[in-house]
Amino acid sequence: STGVRTGLAFAAANHWYEPRTRAAAMQLFERLAPIADETTAAALMHIFLWTTDCPADIATTRTLQLIIDHPPLLLASPHYHFVEKLTSLLSIERDLVCQITELIVADMKRPRVGEGRWDSLIESELIDISLRLQRSGSGYRSRGLTLFEDVLALGLPHAQEALDKLDRRLLVK
């Protein structure tokens, strides 16, 4: 039942950050992610509310990959804490963070009736991720630029401010 799955999802999220219970929580997360409805997906994504730091380990990598593989997880978690954790993981999981950020921005571009799904607090994090990707070189430079342009096209005020600052710096040099 949905109630049982949601309860198990909250348990997995609550124990995911504890080293001694992380493996069991991850197994539960992996089993629930493919069958999660919106409520269960939101419960699973509480991992990012209850975790102060995401360790650079296989469980974090696997969790990020599951979010990419199962978009209902991502779409059930439109909050600042998740995107903030993505920013902190950029240096160790660049490709996965880039893919998830691209999915977030693509979702933000979809027309909505009423309020959007994503909190406006994530704007600065999206800008930070896109600029850091641009600076990281190789294939990420163009992906970061596209992300920044997409955020700018959304009409988010901090994106325009960031662009103005970058333009001023170029003029001063």
Side-chain angles (χ1 to χ4, degrees):
S1 87
T2 299
V4 171
R5 281 193 307 270
T6 301
L8 290 170
F10 274 118
N14 194 35
H15 291 282
W16 187 84
Y17 68 94
E18 289 288 338
R20 61 185 160 76
T21 57
R22 191 169 171 89
M26 193 61 220
Q27 286 179 349
L28 196 52
F29 191 101
E30 288 176 319
R31 292 189 67 183
L32 290 170
I35 60 170
D37 60 10
E38 188 175 338
T39 305
T40 303
L44 285 170
M45 294 302 286
H46 271 76
I47 285 173
F48 299 99
L49 278 175
W50 296 335
T51 302
T52 54
D53 293 312
C54 291
D57 65 8
I58 192 70
T60 298
T61 300
R62 184 69 186 128
T63 300
L64 295 175
Q65 187 61 56
L66 283 165
I67 291 167
I68 293 166
D69 294 344
H70 304 287
L73 294 173
L74 178 65
L75 301 180
S77 180
H79 53 74
Y80 172 75
H81 299 285
F82 173 61
V83 180
E84 182 182 41
K85 299 301 184 296
L86 285 180
T87 304
S88 70
L89 291 168
L90 187 59
S91 61
I92 55 171
E93 290 295 347
R94 186 176 300 136
D95 191 58
L96 295 174
V97 170
C98 184
Q99 287 180 62
I100 291 170
T101 307
E102 290 167 339
L103 290 171
I104 290 169
V105 172
D107 186 60
M108 291 175 77
K109 289 167 53 175
R110 288 189 187 92
R112 300 248 186 297
V113 175
E115 297 254 341
R117 181 189 327 267
W118 295 93
D119 190 316
S120 63
L121 293 174
I122 70 167
E123 180 184 351
S124 61
E125 300 296 331
L126 294 176
I127 293 165
D128 185 37
I129 290 170
S130 68
L131 293 175
R132 288 173 58 193
L133 285 168
Q134 287 180 54
R135 287 186 217 118
S136 66
S138 65
Y140 296 103
R141 181 179 303 275
S142 64
R143 289 171 78 183
L145 179 59
T146 300
L147 275 170
F148 185 80
E149 289 172 343
D150 287 346
V151 171
L152 192 61
L154 289 169
L156 302 174
H158 289 98
Q160 186 60 52
E161 289 173 19
L163 181 61
D164 292 344
K165 282 182 186 175
L166 290 170
D167 285 348
R168 279 194 297 273
R169 276 198 297 196
L170 292 174
L171 291 174
V172 171
K173 288 184 177 183

